[in-house]
Amino acid sequence: MYTHTVEYYETDRMGITHHSNYVRWMEAARTRFLAAIGWDYRQFEARGIISPVVAVNCRYKHPTTFGDQVDIRLQVKQLDRIRLTLSYQMTCQGQIVCLGESEHCFTKDQQLLRLDRDLTDFAAALRQYQA
């Protein structure tokens, strides 16, 4: 789990967290999750591998404001040969504020990698966190 404190600059004129920040928090949770399971982004980049976001989706349930503590739980929703889909549940004081998903692929030298063939250790680590 990753916890984020809403900063003043992340709010809009109405005092509510701007919707774009939730996607940024998903990325922060994702990078910390991958590092925690032994697959830091630096490790990928050192091997020439990048992980583009293919799709992102957020469903906003309740607003957050400056100073709120947002807990972000991440889960591996789907893992197939070329795609990783992660789900995010964001809560504040036990209330769901946002549900999100991000979909990723992995490439090297602009070629799509297969997780089951090219990144087998990574795929095995991810399966332990699959819903």
Side-chain angles (χ1 to χ4, degrees), residues 19-32:
H19 66 276
S20 64
N21 290 295
Y22 293 88
V23 175
R24 292 180 40 208
W25 303 344
M26 289 165 51
E27 181 175 358
R30 180 173 63 254
T31 58
R32 284 161 178 79

Side-chain angles (χ1 to χ4, degrees), residues 106-122:
F106 297 84
T107 66
K108 182 174 182 175
D109 300 324
Q110 299 182 350
Q111 298 296 313
L112 194 60
L113 298 177
R114 282 189 40 183
L115 295 170
D116 61 338
R117 180 188 64 207
D118 304 315
L119 295 168
T120 55
D121 292 345
F122 177 56

